[in-house]
């Protein structure tokens, strides 16, 4: 088959790289992932990911000749315009890396690059939760809170190419310090890591909880442990979980006024809680939102899961063709 009919999406993380072969309808034809060792430098990483791409293509009887182009989602901050990773927190030692050029040269294919949250948002807009809605804002609740904004089919980049840093929206002036240097950022209250951290810190301060024993044993809690305890009626876990939902609702109100999207989509590890998260966010949103106009976004779960990044990245490559 010589007619080009697939795009490659790459979702590059600090510990692994996901590669998807994606058709023009956003269907994943093949998918695989492999470990990355960013400390060995960009050249080694690019060579390993290229080998992974060739292997994934071969698995479905395709070659690079069948590929229209490559989309790459990678941790930021970066410049999508120049295709350069400026300085990525979880790619240690990577400063001013011309990643788009390295991949384009190694693959001999057109490559387009953007940050991981933006490509995931594009994927959800293209064929995921936002498919039937239109303008979309994505919040991913993981180690931090990632954000992506898609308006009129375009990913909002901003003049300084740093738009949609929604995890650093201040929801509590003077609140908890964030490693970005501000205080009271959304991600200090509503990321999966923050929820776990806040429960552990309250227990260490003497609050009672069904998780106290685990913390006393030195166990590191995660958001799933907090969710389970909250579902089982642990008052401390439930109150911190509910606070996370409250601050997400505050963010949704601010997002409504800033972007007026059709939907705000919640993804990432913590969104795996489903309605246990969504219903609470919607409930707080109901109490916080204005009633001047009926212009409220729907608050929806992400649909593409761990493949959002590769689908969205491939979507960028398809968009370049259009
Ligand atoms: Zn911050």
């Amino acid at each position: 088959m010589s007619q080009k009919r697939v795009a490659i999406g790459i979702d590059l993380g600090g510990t692994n790289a996901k590669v998807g072969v994606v058709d023009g309808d956003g269907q994943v034809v093949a998918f695989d992932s492999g470990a990355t060792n960013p400390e060995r430098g960009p050249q080694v990483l690019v060579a390993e990911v290229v080998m992974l791409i060739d292997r994934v293509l071969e698995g479905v009887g395709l070659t690079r000749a069948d590929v229209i182009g490559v989309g790459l989602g990678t941790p930021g901050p970066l410049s999508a315009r120049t295709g350069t990773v400026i300085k990525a927190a979880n790619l240690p030692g990577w400063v001013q890396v011309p990643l788009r050029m390295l991949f384009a040269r190694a693959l001999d294919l057109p490559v387009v690059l953007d940050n991981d949250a933006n490509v995931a948002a594009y994927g959800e807009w293209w064929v995921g939760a936002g498919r039937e809605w239109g303008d979309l804002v994505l919040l991913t609740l993981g180690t931090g809170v990632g954000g992506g904004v898609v308006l009129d089919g375009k990913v909002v980049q901003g003049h300084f190419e740093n738009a949609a840093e929604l995890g650093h929206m201040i929801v509590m002036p003077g609140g908890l310090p964030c490693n970005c240097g501000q205080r009271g950022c959304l991600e200090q209250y509503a990321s999966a890591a923050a929820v776990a951290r806040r429960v552990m810190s309250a227990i260490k301060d003497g609050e009672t909880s069904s998780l106290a024993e685990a913390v006393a044993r030195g166990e590191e809690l995660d958001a799933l442990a907090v969710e389970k305890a909250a579902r089982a009626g642990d008052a401390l876990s439930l109150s911190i979980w509910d606070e996370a939902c409250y601050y997400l609702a505050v963010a949704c109100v601010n997002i409504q006024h800033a972007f007026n999207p059709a939907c705000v989509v919640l993804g990432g590890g913590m969104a795996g809680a489903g309605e246990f998260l969504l219903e609470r966010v919607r409930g707080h949103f109901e109490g916080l939102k204005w009633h001047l106009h009926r212009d409220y976004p729907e608050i929806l779960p992400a649909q593409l899961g761990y493949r959002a990044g590769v689908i969205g990245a491939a979507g960028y490559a398809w968009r370049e063709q259009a």
Side-chain angles (χ1 to χ4, degrees):
M1 176 78 68
S2 62
Q3 202 185 355
K4 291 173 186 278
R5 60 208 172 99
V6 293
I8 299 286
I10 307 170
D11 182 1
L12 191 62
T15 54
N16 77 17
K18 303 184 187 82
V19 165
V21 177
V22 180
D23 71 16
D25 298 323
Q27 296 298 310
V28 179
V29 179
F31 178 89
D32 202 356
S33 65
T36 50
N37 301 288
E39 65 285 352
R40 286 197 281 151
Q43 301 278 2
V44 175
L45 181 139
V46 169
E48 287 177 351
V49 173
V50 166
M51 277 166 55
L52 179 60
I53 290 170
D54 285 338
R55 203 163 65 234
V56 173
L57 283 169
E58 198 187 329
V60 286
L62 298 171
T63 70
R64 287 186 213 168
D66 300 302
V67 177
I68 56 134
V70 178
L72 173 63
T74 184
L78 52 79
S79 167
R81 217 171 285 148
T82 63
T84 308
V85 172
I86 295 166
K87 189 177 191 306
N90 50 0
L91 300 174
W94 287 39
V95 179
Q96 297 292 349
V97 175
L99 202 57
R100 180 173 68 201
M101 189 265 283
L102 293 176
F103 271 106
R105 198 179 278 171
L107 287 162
D108 199 22
L109 285 168
V111 177
V112 56
L113 165 153
D114 202 353
N115 82 50
D116 40 16
N118 282 352
V119 301
Y122 190 74
E124 290 289 350
W125 173 83
W126 185 31
V127 291
R131 193 180 57 242
E132 284 164 14
W133 291 91
D135 294 354
L136 165 151
V137 174
L138 174 71
L139 295 174
T140 55
L141 316 177
T143 312
V145 173
V149 177
V150 187
L151 298 180
D152 296 328
K154 291 202 181 80
V155 178
V156 175
Q157 298 288 353
H159 181 78
F160 301 99
E161 297 193 83
N162 211 22
E165 284 291 346
L166 302 175
H168 301 285
M169 177 192 310
I170 293 175
V171 292
M172 171 56 81
L176 293 170
C178 183
N179 44 21
C180 74
Q182 294 177 170
R183 299 187 80 97
C185 293
L186 176 65
E187 75 172 34
Q188 293 305 319
Y189 298 88
S191 68
V195 164
R197 199 163 55 231
R198 296 190 72 213
V199 169
M200 285 192 288
S201 136
I203 290 170
K204 283 171 187 162
D205 288 346
E207 296 224 25
T208 54
S209 164
S210 61
L211 295 169
E213 248 179 62
V215 172
R217 280 197 303 271
E219 276 179 38
E220 280 285 311
L221 300 181
D222 60 13
L224 185 61
V226 175
E227 180 203 330
K228 280 185 179 160
R231 282 181 191 269
D234 179 54
L236 175 68
S237 297
L238 187 57
S239 92
I240 286 172
W241 184 268
D242 192 63
E243 260 182 61
C245 296
Y246 172 81
Y247 288 112
L248 285 169
V250 171
C252 287
V253 172
N254 294 336
I255 286 167
Q256 172 192 356
H257 296 314
F259 303 112
N260 214 228
C263 56
V264 178
V265 175
L266 302 183
M270 209 166 116
E275 289 300 310
F276 192 66
L277 180 84
L278 289 162
E279 269 192 5
R280 282 189 162 69
V281 177
R282 290 185 192 119
H284 287 301
F285 182 72
E286 199 59 36
L288 289 165
K289 73 186 187 190
W290 74 3
H291 295 273
L292 289 172
H293 295 291
R294 289 194 50 82
D295 67 343
Y296 330 120
E298 292 289 325
I299 299 171
L300 303 170
Q303 287 181 359
L304 304 181
Y306 66 94
R307 304 203 296 188
V310 300
I311 294 171
Y316 271 57
W318 280 111
R319 190 190 57 191
E320 293 290 300
Q321 294 289 304

